[in-house]
Amino acid sequence: MCGRYVLYTDKEQAEIREIIEEVNKKHNFQVKKGDIYPSQKAPVFKGTPDHNGKYLDVMNWGYEVSFKKGLLINAKSETVLEKRTFSKDFKERRCLIPAQAFYEWDQEKNKIMFYSGNDLIYLGGIFRQHEDKEEYVILTKEPIKIVEEVHNRMPVIIPKNLAENWLYDTNDAIGIMGNNYVELEREEV
């Protein structure tokens, strides 16, 4: 389960800085430095109506649902097409969540950060319109070895060169979820 991720820190790189500046201008929204928690608003890329490129928006992390107290913040990629809550969103509304890192906690409750050098990563997600706001969840999958040592799940990570395939082609998105494209490093925080 991915319960927290880092959008940017004081060491943010140029790509993250551009995202922050665009969100602040376009949406009159001040992006929070550091960790992004469930229920918070955060920048998210979604597809454009003409299926050309990606559009930066601001959404709330987590689906509000009547059958569960609290928010649904993750969806298992292996069953996303089978679940009524997520299936249509996966087929029609996939998104990219920009991040510098994500966290998992080990058995002793130590917080471990996973990142790809200084590179921006995209976490794969889906979104929906709920009442007066858009909400997103992060898709998770079986972990790669470095994450498996800490936790039994990890976010789906979408390579930059496959970002538009993820947004616009459902068959490609299914294939992307099943592969491991990104090498990660880890650090205890």
Side-chain angles (χ1 to χ4, degrees):
M1 179 166 125
C2 179
R4 198 174 311 163
Y5 64 94
V6 180
L7 178 59
Y8 78 107
T9 64
D10 289 328
K11 302 177 197 171
E12 84 266 14
Q13 38 102 309
E15 200 169 357
I16 291 281
R17 198 169 26 256
E18 288 172 18
I19 290 169
I20 303 305
E21 289 170 6
E22 184 177 341
V23 166
N24 290 345
K25 268 192 246 172
K26 198 189 252 179
H27 298 282
N28 195 25
F29 175 76
Q30 200 59 33
V31 176
K32 178 183 165 301
K33 186 189 312 186
D35 296 354
I36 303 294
Y37 294 82
S39 81
Q40 289 183 320
K41 288 181 180 277
V44 174
F45 285 105
K46 58 185 182 180
T48 60
D50 64 357
H51 290 225
N52 184 21
K54 52 192 189 301
Y55 173 80
L56 188 59
D57 207 346
V58 176
M59 298 183 197
N60 287 72
W61 182 12
Y63 280 15
E64 290 182 27
V65 290
S66 59
F67 58 85
K68 179 183 186 290
K69 186 179 177 185
L71 297 171
L72 291 176
I73 61 171
N74 296 136
K76 285 186 173 183
S77 61
E78 298 90 345
T79 60
V80 71
L81 287 167
E82 301 164 16
K83 303 292 183 180
R84 195 174 62 185
T85 304
F86 303 123
S87 179
K88 185 174 181 175
D89 296 340
F90 180 80
K91 291 174 188 170
E92 299 176 7
R93 293 177 290 277
R94 289 177 300 279
C95 60
L96 301 162
I97 299 108
Q100 279 194 306
F102 65 92
Y103 297 109
E104 296 297 352
W105 284 260
D106 65 16
Q107 301 263 350
E108 291 78 43
K109 305 288 183 210
N110 297 310
K111 186 164 94 172
I112 313 295
M113 181 171 61
F114 294 93
Y115 57 96
S116 181
N118 288 324
D119 293 338
L120 168 77
I121 58 175
Y122 289 132
L123 308 180
I126 58 176
F127 69 97
R128 70 176 188 180
Q129 182 73 35
H130 180 71
E131 296 173 359
D132 63 340
K133 63 183 181 255
E134 285 184 311
E135 305 170 326
Y136 70 94
V137 297
I138 296 173
L139 295 174
T140 65
K141 62 183 275 170
E142 294 288 322
I144 59 175
K145 184 119 180 97
I146 194 169
V147 180
E148 183 179 44
E149 297 167 359
V150 176
H151 200 271
N152 64 350
R153 302 293 296 168
M154 68 175 277
V156 170
I157 299 176
I158 311 300
K160 289 179 201 170
N161 66 327
L162 296 176
E164 288 191 31
N165 298 57
W166 172 260
L167 293 174
Y168 298 117
D169 189 311
T170 300
N171 289 328
D172 279 356
I174 291 167
I176 291 167
M177 285 192 304
N179 288 299
N180 296 312
Y181 296 99
V182 179
E183 300 243 349
L184 296 173
E185 300 174 42
R186 69 181 260 186
E187 177 182 321
E188 191 168 325
V189 185

